[in-house]
Amino acid sequence: MSDKVHHVHSDSELDSLLSKPGLVVVDFSAAWCGPCKMIAPKFAELSNRYTNVTFVHVDIDELQSHSLVKPISSVPTFKLFKGGSPVTQMSGANASALENLITSNI
């Protein structure tokens, strides 16, 4: 089964996804980041489990000029949005903490 993660490649694509109704979870990561690679399968699994949530992956090197990417100082960083507004965030590849963050904000 394929995952439901949106892999964005432009600022406008990210902005469009952030405006979707409901909870939007954005994974800010980088291709060179080992912990990012370790949590990616769990992020994909969560996208299949929580189908009422929008899951987005952003490569910080590809979208480095976006205003949400510029302040990212460590990867992976996960930011949660509702109605286009930030709700909460966490950094690090802690899968159980990420799932708890998602379930507490649905």
Side-chain angles (χ1 to χ4, degrees), residues 18-96:
L18 289 175
S19 67
K20 291 186 75 139
L23 184 64
V24 179
V25 181
V26 184
D27 169 16
F28 293 93
S29 65
W32 47 262
C33 168
C36 299
K37 292 176 186 177
M38 286 176 28
I39 200 164
K42 181 64 174 181
F43 192 70
E45 177 187 315
L46 292 171
S47 77
N48 288 324
R49 185 177 309 150
Y50 300 101
T51 56
N52 58 332
V53 175
T54 302
F55 288 81
V56 180
H57 172 261
V58 174
D59 184 317
I60 63 166
D61 293 324
E62 186 173 349
L63 264 63
Q64 60 188 346
S65 65
H66 195 282
S67 61
L68 289 176
V69 174
K70 288 180 181 179
I72 301 291
S73 60
S74 67
V75 287
T77 292
F78 299 92
K79 293 190 176 189
L80 283 64
F81 297 84
K82 281 187 180 175
S85 298
V87 176
T88 189
Q89 71 178 49
M90 67 166 269
S91 294
N94 184 328
S96 60

Side-chain angles (χ1 to χ4, degrees), residues 2-33:
S2 64
D3 63 61
K4 294 173 176 51
V5 177
H6 299 270
H7 298 272
V8 299
H9 301 286
S10 71
D11 290 356
S12 61
E13 188 179 7
L14 176 56
D15 292 338
S16 175
L17 287 166
L18 289 175
S19 67
K20 291 186 75 139
L23 184 64
V24 179
V25 181
V26 184
D27 169 16
F28 293 93
S29 65
W32 47 262
C33 168

